[in-house]
Amino acid sequence: MSSIGKKNSGVVAPVAVSPVVSAMAALYENLSLDSLGLSREAYQYAIQGHDRLLKEGKLRNDDILSIVDFSLPSTKKRLFVIDLASGTLLFNSLVSHGRNSGKEMATDFSNSPESFKSSLGFYVTGKTYRGQHGYSLKLEGEEDGINNNAMERGIVMHAANYVDEKLARLQGYIGRSLGCPAIPTKLHKKIIGKIQNGTCLFMYSPDTKYLSASRMLQAAA
């Protein structure tokens, strides 16, 4: 994908896309991410937002791109960690959403403290620490009014035993968090170790309120 079509007076005009973004876009096909369930829209938004964060100097490690696709149910592996430099999918894992965002599907989102809901949008990963949930990863929300309260809310990536395939088969959905993207205990150290310290994390949903409010997506469009 070397350009993105934009309508103008009924005519679709090409909008230039950097070679880096173009190469990243090709990975969607090369890695057959559609067969794993990752939304093409989620991926396209993710690479555009990643490119913007990179240009703004906010990424210390631009090789890694992580996407949480909340258009998928919690029983599906909806966390995708991609190494853009090597063109490989490093991890495809279950990941939780907030208890008040929905049951099987995450459909309601919030930036408010004590909402116990997931927040959409772009994050830059921070440092690791050991807290209530053990080895965890701080997340810095990059979208004002959408996820910029992540630090205040204590939204981090951590392990949880309720993020489990057996539980998903038993009850039709995995356990839910207080808003954190919790991941399986057997994978959390490897995933957190790979995405820590300045990589891009994008939490996506085809939520019309988010899509219309996000300055990141408007600027990238």
Side-chain angles (χ1 to χ4, degrees):
M1 183 178 69
S2 59
S3 64
I4 300 172
K6 182 177 285 186
K7 291 185 178 180
N8 182 11
S9 301
V11 178
V12 177
V15 177
V17 174
S18 73
V20 173
V21 172
S22 181
M24 290 163 62
L27 283 180
Y28 184 83
E29 308 295 345
N30 296 343
L31 296 177
S32 300
L33 294 175
D34 57 337
S35 67
L36 296 176
L38 178 61
S39 160
R40 182 182 294 274
E41 181 178 65
Y43 186 79
Q44 290 176 337
Y45 281 143
I47 61 173
Q48 291 167 13
H50 173 280
D51 191 50
R52 177 176 174 181
L53 290 173
L54 180 59
K55 289 177 179 177
E56 293 177 351
K58 293 183 177 180
L59 300 179
R60 293 192 298 277
N61 179 358
D62 61 324
D63 287 345
I64 304 298
L65 172 62
S66 304
I67 306 170
V68 175
D69 188 351
F70 283 138
S71 71
L72 296 171
S74 69
T75 54
K76 300 295 185 181
K77 294 181 179 181
R78 54 189 180 171
L79 169 63
F80 301 81
V81 179
I82 303 165
D83 188 325
L84 300 172
S86 65
T88 56
L89 179 64
L90 300 178
F91 302 100
N92 182 204
S93 169
L94 295 174
V95 61
S96 72
H97 57 254
R99 66 170 62 164
N100 289 339
S101 283
K103 202 169 187 179
E104 181 185 6
M105 299 291 300
T107 58
D108 196 5
F109 307 94
S110 176
N111 190 37
S112 300
E114 308 302 322
S115 66
F116 301 153
K117 296 179 181 180
S118 297
S119 296
L120 298 175
F122 287 90
Y123 297 76
V124 173
T125 62
K127 295 181 179 180
T128 62
Y129 70 101
R130 291 195 176 275
Q132 180 182 356
H133 300 285
Y135 186 57
S136 304
L137 177 65
K138 294 181 179 180
L139 303 174
E140 182 71 43
E142 295 294 329
E143 302 205 54
D144 288 345
I146 295 173
N147 63 18
N148 62 304
N149 288 333
M151 286 288 190
E152 177 187 351
R153 296 179 60 202
I155 301 302
V156 301
M157 181 173 283
H158 63 78
N161 56 16
Y162 54 72
V163 184
D164 180 76
E165 292 184 28
K166 292 181 180 178
L167 183 61
R169 291 193 294 268
L170 180 66
Q171 64 182 19
Y173 58 95
I174 62 172
R176 293 159 293 169
S177 67
L178 301 184
C180 297
I183 54 179
T185 55
K186 65 181 180 180
L187 289 175
H188 82 286
K189 290 183 179 180
K190 291 181 179 180
I191 292 176
I192 289 174
K194 180 60 68 172
I195 75 173
Q196 66 176 314
N197 294 331
T199 71
C200 175
L201 168 65
F202 178 48
M203 298 194 198
Y204 165 82
S205 167
D207 179 78
T208 55
K209 183 178 179 181
Y210 167 69
L211 296 178
S212 62
S214 173
R215 292 191 182 95
M216 292 285 292
L217 299 186
Q218 291 167 4

